[in-house]
Amino acid sequence: MRTAHTSRHVVIAGAGPVGLWLAAELRLGGAEVTVLEQRPEPSPHSKALTLHPRTLEVLAARGAVEPFLAEGLRNPTGHFGSLDDRLDFSGLDTRYPFTLLLPQARTEALLERHARAAGADVRRGHRLTDLAEHASGVRVGVSGPEGAYTLDAAYVVGCDGTRSTVRAAADIDFPGTDTTVWGWLGDVVLDEPPAGSAFSVGTSQGGLMCVPLPGGAHRFVGHTPDDQRADWPGEFTFEELRANVLRITGRDFGMRDPRWLSRFGNAARQAAAYRAGRVLLAGDAAHMHFPAGGVGLNVGVQDAANLGWKLAAVVRGAADERLLDTYHRERHPVGAALLATTRAQTALMTAYSSDGLALRALLSEAVATVPAFSRKLAEGLTALDIAYDTAYSGPYTPGDGADRHPLTGRRAPDLPLGEDLGLYDLLRAGRPVLLDFGGHDGSTWADVVVHQGPPVTARPDWAGVGAALIRPDGHVGLARAAS
């Protein structure tokens, strides 16, 4: 069976958080979307737990954040390398100065509801088997419950994880390093849980972090010196979890009733290209790493936020393919920084020697006593510091960056624009927003939301702006100083 589609059709492999958010973004931008997910049912297990502030902003800019806030647990701190002193998020420049603890299974369920409501065709039990690019599109082979069939698409996006079929079919290299350290996790019920919203400890016997889960359980994540090995240690057991926790802390917190046990390695790889012709990659298909800091899901969703509006503009004819080249240009450096940061955190977390523990103590003290140091780490983990080099001469046209304003490329906060009106309200349509504070030169662009009003005097960095074009992903495309 062959299914025909128009030139606006995009096929996404993978219905995890990245694929589902991308599907909704593409639908908002006018594309037709089919999401292929080989799992017949969503996984009940949750690798990821944490939504960071920038991801919450991405959701808020589409009016989708409230269901997540209603279910998640808010934690005003984060960690870097499981240091004893935690990063304070409460002073960050965002409406969401906290991490949101929400199991990935619930995140996926909420994102799937959002994608289906936007009109995405999500097909569970359907596996992308192969693809062949041709002059006008991509033919996709699919294996479904009723047999094999093909789809015709303008583009294909691999959001299908570290073992990406799409990446392999497109012959995109995935260089990096193999596993040398193993970590483990266990979701259990605790009769004597540690106090506070997060507990962490690092000793010569290993490192351990414990966080509460919605529903009354807790998650332990840790590692010991015995886990520094390249070979597979075997399936992780409840007995091993209890022994490891006792070894590190001297108590087992009354753990019982294990819900999920898993082991993971620190292999670190990044796709050499995020785009190869009509094939693109996002999320774990583009980068894999040790899950330090709980940033992986967040960076993947932010990949999708960057790609979604661009790919939608191309398939509906509002932009040429040059716009897609900016996806790799902007997001590949973010992925490289992600690998570097998680490698640094892994080194800190596995610093079991006396010298290593002294380094941990020194850095932990700096987190607690040097606010600028703590804030820099916090802004990096939360992606609030991301700024892109690409400038725009119009809504969908990359420019050369001439006369670049200092705000260009930076993330725009939810600027107050009037009574009960913020910038993110204007971004809900998924279109560029032109903020005209009296400095617009009269240029007109199609499909742009225009807001005219007084300058944003409450923020010194925006007080001198006469006009700014905000991209659909919430970054400043171009800005002009007031005359």
Side-chain angles (χ1 to χ4, degrees):
M1 178 179 71
R2 178 180 167 190
T3 305
H5 284 274
T6 71
S7 60
R8 290 192 175 194
H9 185 221
V10 177
V11 169
I12 299 172
V18 179
L20 292 169
W21 186 251
L22 177 61
E25 288 290 277
L26 288 169
R27 286 294 301 146
L28 185 64
E32 298 178 20
V33 183
T34 301
V35 183
L36 304 173
E37 172 52 60
Q38 63 180 350
R39 298 174 299 173
E41 301 292 337
S43 172
H45 303 306
S46 298
K47 293 188 295 182
L49 286 181
T50 307
L51 295 179
H52 279 289
R54 179 54 187 156
T55 302
L56 297 175
E57 289 185 341
V58 167
L59 298 172
R62 297 297 182 262
V65 75
E66 291 302 327
F68 297 85
L69 297 176
E71 292 195 29
L73 302 175
R74 303 184 188 195
N75 182 1
T77 67
H79 79 89
F80 188 89
S82 295
L83 295 173
D84 293 342
D85 290 287
R86 296 180 64 82
L87 304 174
D88 181 7
F89 287 179
S90 63
L92 293 176
D93 180 22
T94 174
R95 291 187 185 273
Y96 310 100
F98 50 82
T99 58
L100 192 72
L101 299 179
L102 185 65
Q104 183 174 332
R106 284 303 302 151
T107 295
E108 287 189 11
L110 293 172
L111 289 176
E112 182 165 349
R113 185 174 73 186
H114 178 68
R116 289 184 183 275
D121 179 7
V122 182
R123 303 184 184 182
R124 292 198 170 273
H126 293 249
R127 178 173 60 90
L128 183 148
T129 57
D130 59 81
L131 57 87
E133 184 174 345
H134 51 83
S136 58
V138 186
R139 183 155 301 165
V140 178
V142 185
S143 175
E146 299 180 359
Y149 63 97
T150 62
L151 293 171
D152 287 330
Y155 291 88
V156 173
V157 186
C159 303
D160 50 345
T162 58
R163 298 181 177 88
S164 172
T165 299
V166 171
R167 188 184 64 238
D171 198 27
I172 297 175
D173 289 340
F174 199 44
T177 56
D178 295 328
T179 293
T180 59
V181 172
W182 296 94
W184 36 262
L185 67 81
D187 293 347
V188 294
V189 176
L190 301 181
D191 290 330
E192 303 171 4
S197 59
F199 167 81
S200 62
V201 61
T203 73
S204 61
Q205 299 302 308
L208 182 71
M209 183 168 62
C210 180
V211 295
L213 302 175
H218 281 72
R219 170 167 292 183
F220 284 109
V221 183
H223 41 82
T224 72
D226 295 338
D227 295 314
Q228 292 184 306
R229 53 193 287 184
D231 59 313
W232 170 243
E235 294 299 323
F236 191 55
T237 66
F238 180 63
E239 292 72 21
E240 189 177 354
L241 172 64
R242 186 195 299 274
N244 287 346
V245 174
L246 278 167
R247 175 181 176 181
I248 296 169
T249 69
R251 53 186 294 208
D252 71 356
F253 302 93
M255 70 172 67
R256 57 181 171 85
D257 300 336
R259 299 182 178 181
W260 186 39
L261 302 164
S262 183
R263 206 185 297 272
F264 48 88
N266 71 324
R269 297 184 179 278
Q270 184 180 21
Y274 283 18
R275 180 194 178 199
R278 293 180 175 270
V279 177
L280 301 108
L281 305 174
D284 289 350
H287 38 75
M288 67 179 292
H289 53 90
F290 201 64
V295 295
L297 180 154
N298 295 271
V299 175
V301 170
Q302 292 155 28
D303 286 344
N306 184 287
L307 176 60
W309 68 275
K310 296 175 179 178
L311 184 53
V314 171
V315 299
R316 76 169 185 266
D320 62 39
E321 288 195 7
R322 286 191 303 150
L323 186 60
L324 295 181
D325 292 331
T326 68
Y327 172 59
H328 173 92
R329 191 186 317 164
E330 293 178 348
R331 294 304 296 176
H332 194 274
V334 174
L338 168 68
L339 266 63
T341 300
T342 53
R343 281 170 166 152
Q345 290 191 74
T346 304
L348 275 178
M349 288 188 288
T350 57
Y352 307 117
S353 68
S354 58
D355 289 345
L357 294 175
L359 174 62
R360 285 180 55 84
L362 179 68
L363 292 178
S364 188
E365 181 184 11
V367 166
T369 61
V370 185
F373 179 63
S374 178
R375 186 180 183 91
K376 179 174 177 57
L377 292 179
E379 289 179 341
L381 283 176
T382 59
L384 295 176
D385 66 346
I386 297 298
Y388 299 132
D389 287 338
T390 308
Y392 286 79
S393 58
Y396 302 112
T397 306
D400 59 9
D403 300 322
R404 182 185 180 92
H405 189 278
L407 287 176
T408 303
R410 287 173 51 185
R411 146 200 162 269
D414 193 8
L415 298 170
L417 300 175
E419 186 175 354
D420 298 324
L421 179 68
L423 172 60
Y424 291 179
D425 296 317
L426 300 180
L427 284 170
R428 290 186 179 189
R431 295 154 57 193
V433 173
L434 176 62
L435 300 177
D436 183 358
F437 302 131
H440 185 43
D441 63 3
S443 299
T444 57
W445 298 306
D447 202 31
V448 173
V449 176
V450 178
H451 170 81
Q452 292 179 313
V456 184
T457 57
R459 296 187 58 101
D461 53 341
W462 281 82
V465 175
L469 181 73
I470 312 302
R471 304 174 355 172
D473 61 0
H475 283 259
V476 180
L478 55 87
R480 180 176 297 112
S483 57

